[in-house]
């Protein structure tokens, strides 16, 4: 919707703004959906339970890393940084560094996610049966 505006599309066409926008909308939307599906269906499929507090910390860290990665890309795109270039001008170096730091945070959180699920298999925390005792009829 944002890039369907002809005036805005002309001004940000072939800039990093388009790259940041599509990565936010397409890539990150799909990745969050995958992580949500895995975290919701893992206990059902494997009958093993993960630590919900650690899963919440993973989500917070991944959410922060993704936003630190792609928001600066939006900003340098609005400043006119062209895409498909091997190296950018020095005036974008600060934002590129911030974006790289965010990508590092996202990568660390992905390894944390994989470690969390390996831990559930090693610790073998089974889901407790929540069925209560049968109802007595007196």
């Amino acid at each position: 919707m944002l890039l369907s505006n002809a005036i805005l599309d002309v001004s940000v066409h072939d800039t990093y703004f388009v790259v940041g926008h599509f990565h936010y909308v397409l890539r990150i939307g799909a990745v969050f959906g995958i992580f949500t599906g895995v975290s919701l269906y893992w206990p059902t499929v494997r009958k093993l339970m993960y630590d919900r507090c650690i899963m919440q910390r993973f989500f917070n860290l991944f959410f922060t890393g993704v936003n630190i990665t792609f928001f600066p890309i939006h900003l340098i795109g609005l400043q006119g940084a062209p895409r498909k270039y091997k190296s950018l001008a020095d005036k974008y170096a600060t934002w590129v560094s911030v974006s790289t730091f965010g990508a590092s945070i996202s990568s660390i959180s992905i390894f944390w996610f994989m470690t969390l699920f390996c831990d559930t298999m090693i610790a073998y925390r089974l889901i407790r049966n929540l069925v209560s005792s049968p109802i007595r009829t007196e």
Side-chain angles (χ1 to χ4, degrees):
M1 294 274 301
L2 184 69
L3 295 174
S4 66
N5 184 346
I7 295 171
L8 184 62
D9 187 41
V10 168
S11 64
V12 297
H13 183 71
D14 266 349
T15 65
Y16 266 96
F17 181 83
V18 176
V19 174
H21 177 73
F22 283 118
H23 276 83
Y24 255 134
V25 173
L26 299 175
R27 180 178 173 262
I28 300 308
V31 170
F32 273 109
I34 290 168
F35 284 138
T36 302
V38 168
S39 66
L40 289 175
Y41 288 110
W42 181 260
T44 304
V45 172
R46 297 290 298 177
K47 304 295 186 218
L48 298 173
M49 194 62 195
Y50 54 82
D51 188 357
R52 289 185 187 268
C53 182
I54 295 176
M55 181 62 80
Q56 183 66 41
R57 289 180 188 157
F58 154 74
F59 174 78
N60 291 337
L61 187 66
F62 187 67
F63 183 79
T64 303
V66 163
N67 284 303
I68 291 174
T69 301
F70 293 113
F71 186 70
I73 292 176
H74 274 94
L75 294 178
I76 65 174
L78 288 174
Q79 293 174 3
R83 62 183 229 186
K84 300 179 185 174
Y85 276 67
K86 189 181 284 187
S87 63
L88 294 173
D90 290 337
K91 67 179 182 177
Y92 306 121
T94 303
W95 289 120
V96 170
S97 298
V98 171
S99 182
T100 303
F101 176 70
S104 300
I105 291 174
S106 297
S107 298
I108 289 169
S109 68
I110 298 294
F111 286 119
W112 192 352
F113 183 80
M114 293 185 321
T115 304
L116 174 68
F117 281 99
C118 289
D119 175 61
T120 61
M121 289 188 279
I122 292 169
Y124 204 70
R125 289 186 290 271
L126 291 173
I127 298 175
R128 293 185 183 142
N129 192 357
L130 300 177
V131 177
S132 62
S133 60
I135 302 173
R136 288 189 246 173
T137 57
E138 295 180 31

